[in-house]
Structure formats: structure tokens, C-alpha cells
Amino acid sequence: MGLWAAVHAERLGIQTLLVEASHFGQGASGGLLGALMPHMPDKWSDKKQFQLDALVSLEDEITALEAMTGLSAGYRRAGRLIPLPRPHLRQIALGHSRDAEAHWRHGERRFHWHVLDAAPVEDWIDPSLAESGFVYDTLAARVAPRAFLDVLHKFLAGARHVRLAEGATVESLDPDRGLARTNEGDIAFGRAILAAGHRSFPILDELTEGRKSSLGQPVKGQAAMLKADVDSGLPVIFRDGLYIVPHEKGLVAVGSTSENRFDDPMSTDGQLDDLLAAARIMAPVLAGAEVMERWAGLRPKAVDRDPMVGAHPDHPSLIALTGGFKVSFGLAHRLAEAAVREAAGMPCRFKLPLSFTLASHISVISHKT
Ligand SMILES: Cc1cc2nc3c(=O)[nH]c(=O)nc-3n(C[C@H](O)[C@H](O)[C@H](O)COP(=O)(O)OP(=O)(O)OC[C@H]3O[C@@H](n4cnc5c(N)ncnc54)[C@H](O)[C@@H]3O)c2cc1C
């Protein structure tokens, strides 16, 4: 989120310092999965429209940045396969297919929620797990998280208006005096965008009077990377929280756990082993695949589950940019653009859903008993 904000600041010619406690990619964004999963096409809303527009525009954003940096972000609109083990799930899927025809449109482009008897690719999902067929959606995509961060980082390394400061931790913010206190000394600012992942919540809590609970919490996730001899163009598999995401060079990411309570944020355990076992049953071609890496990170989950973006109602020079929870990668470029334009007092060419605003999240926790 922070890297994208800096990219937009550079494009708009805004003098910017991007402060990172450790090194870029240290947080949840430096993981393995990179699935770009659309929301279900039913019950259409301004949030779903925002995500659709973001997912489609990301492709052009990445193409442009790849051309400028000469690096690959490992992006591919590979689609998504969802096995349907029961007849009633097929009926529901047929309804979603009609919803997608109505809503999954972007200019001339159309995306589909096909309901199929057989998978469009062979030797991927075990067909015995899909007795009632498959959903194949053509909107879902994937990106390689670390390669993607490298693209953003390289673009910023050559920036004229943005300076990068790694190894400086913001300890507190005093937005009304325009001061950030860090372990490396104070930084004066006109506007500050806070994009510190889940660590944004305690900083925002501190500055929010009259709240009855925290603005958000970290949710731990575990994932693994396998080395398998599979085609990198295969669709992502999704079923009941299990993601199998093929990447370039035969790498396949498997995730993710979702843990509200945890002792060690960075360790992996038997829950990841269970996911890997489920993945090997779902995609038998992964049976002998070597585990290259096990990884865990903390997602930023805002109190209302939606992203948390925009000026603090009591401290307008502080702009939040966090709360992407499980879908940050597909939204970050658009959320960051809205945050930067708000910080600069410039109109935005698209509207943020109201429930994404920091003000909306604050009103939720102020009314809670
Ligand atoms: C296992 C797992 C799988 C996931 N899979 C997907 C997926 O497939 N698709 C998807 O879209 N999302 C996925 N997510 C969620 C996604 O990774 C997060 O929502 C996203 O990375 C959050 O980005 P962020 O920039 O808000 O936070 P982060 O990436 O955590 O970045 C915050 C940065 O701020 C820095 N920082 C923190 N505090 C301070 C401070 N006080 N001063 C200075 N710097 C500070 C940190 O070091 C960090 O680098 C997954 C998450 C997990 C854990």
C-alpha cells in the first residue's frame, strides 16, 4: 500500500518521504500467494464494482511499470477453478454465472463465471472431487508478491520526487503539529499517509477519541511454496479457503490459514501441513512436489472488514491507507491513488465506497457498546 502511494505521489510530482521500519516487503505483502480473486458476482454493490475496476486496471498498471523497470511482476490473468462437489452448489453457480454476465463488464471487456462439466485443463484438479462440475472464472489472476514489490521498488529507486528511508520506525504521530517521531529522529510533514499494515491500527487508535474498541486487528496467515513441474498458465484453484496458485517456473503457492489468535506471528505449524495435504489431494500432480518455503504473516483486518482509507475526521492531515485484509494486492493501486489525491487536495477520478473510509470505520467503533 505504501509503495503504491509513493508511486502515485511520484506521478503527481508531490515531494514525498517513504519511511519503512525494516525493508520493503517485510510485512504481509512479502508473502507467497498473490491471488487476485474477484468477489462473488451476486448481490452487486459499489464495493464489488470498485474491486472489478481495480482488478481490470491493475493489468495495465503492471504492464506500464514492467516496461519502465524492465522487471516482471509475475502477473497473469490465469482464471480460477472452483470444484463443485454437490448438485445444489451447481445450481448456485448457475445463478452466479448469470450475475457475472450482468455485472462483470468493463468497457468492451467481458469476464465470465462459466459452469462446466469438465475442467478446461487436464491433470490439475482431481475430477472425483467435482461430481457436479466446475466453476471457471475468467476474471481471477495472480501476481508474484515479491517480484511485484521489486517492480514498485525499482520504479521508486529512480523517482524524482520520492525518497526512500528503510530502517526508520515511526514510533508516534502528531498530525496536528505535523511531526512523526522515529527511532532516527523527528520528521516534519504537511500530510502523512499511514500505510503500516496491521501496525496502523494502534497508531490510529491512539489518535481516536471516544472509541469503544480498536480500529482493527492482525489476522495471521500461513502459506507455502512448492516446486512442481506444472504449467505456469494453469488457473488458480480455490475451495473452502484453500488456494492453489501456480506461478512462473513451476512454482505453486498453497495457502492460507486464517488465525485470529496466535502465539507466534511468524511461525508455521501443523495447520499449514493440513493445507498442504488438502492441496495434494485436490491437485494430485503436487503429490511429490518439494516444499521450497513455509511462510507466515499478519493481514490487516479493519473492524468493519473493508479497507480503511482516507483522512482522520479529527486530524485531517493524517490519511489512513490500510485494512486490505485478504484482497490488498488487487486494490492497493486504486486505494493508494485515492489516499494520495485526498492528501494533496486533488479530486479523484473514481469514488471510494463510503464504507472504505476511515471516518466510516470510526463511526462503527464509536457506536459499539
Ligand atoms: C498467508 C497470507 C496470504 C495472503 N494471500 C493474499 C492473496 O493471495 N491476495 C491478496 O490480495 N492478499 C493476500 N494476503 C493479504 C495481503 O498480504 C495483505 O492484505 C497486504 O500485504 C497488506 O499490505 P499493507 O501494505 O497494508 O501491509 P504490509 O505489507 O504489512 O506493509 C506494512 C509495512 O509497514 C511497515 N511498518 C509497520 N509499522 C511501521 C512503523 N511504525 N514505522 C515504519 N514502518 C512500519 C512494515 O515493516 C511493512 O513493511 C495474504 C496475507 C497472508 C498473511
Side-chain angles (χ1 to χ4, degrees), residues 1-4 18-37 51 55 141-143 145 149 165 167-172 181-183 194-200 203 219-224 243 245 247 254-258 265 275 295-301 321-332:
M1 293 276 208
L3 288 165
W4 267 117
L18 180 60
V19 180
E20 160 60 48
S22 178
H23 58 86
F24 298 115
Q26 170 67 26
S29 306
L32 304 173
L33 230 58
L36 301 169
M37 300 285 97
Q51 195 215 23
L55 286 173
R142 54 86 168 152
V143 69
L149 295 187
T169 303
V170 174
E171 285 155 359
S172 67
R181 301 203 184 284
T182 83
N183 58 326
L194 180 58
H198 73 92
R199 291 206 169 89
S200 309
I203 297 176
V219 176
K220 180 175 172 180
Q222 302 181 38
Y243 294 80
V245 187
H247 285 282
V254 173
S256 303
T257 65
S258 199
L275 271 181
W295 179 87
L298 296 179
R299 310 172 178 96
K301 181 185 174 196
L321 178 57
T322 182
F325 194 30
K326 296 185 176 178
V327 292
S328 292
F329 278 101
L331 299 180

Side-chain angles (χ1 to χ4, degrees), residues 231-282:
D231 181 349
S232 58
L234 285 171
V236 172
I237 298 176
F238 176 71
R239 179 83 195 126
D240 290 339
L242 170 69
Y243 294 80
I244 306 176
V245 187
H247 285 282
E248 302 298 319
K249 298 184 183 156
L251 294 173
V252 178
V254 173
S256 303
T257 65
S258 199
E259 304 162 51
N260 288 316
R261 293 205 186 88
F262 45 85
D263 294 327
D264 178 357
M266 300 305 161
S267 64
T268 62
D269 55 32
Q271 298 176 77
L272 182 56
D273 298 329
D274 293 346
L275 271 181
L276 284 167
R280 293 184 203 276
I281 291 169
M282 179 73 75

Side-chain angles (χ1 to χ4, degrees), residues 35 58 92 129 142 204 206 232 240 242 286 308 310 312 320 323-324:
L58 181 61
I92 295 171
L129 300 176
R142 54 86 168 152
L204 291 167
E206 189 89 339
S232 58
D240 290 339
L242 170 69
L286 301 179
M308 183 180 280
H312 193 294

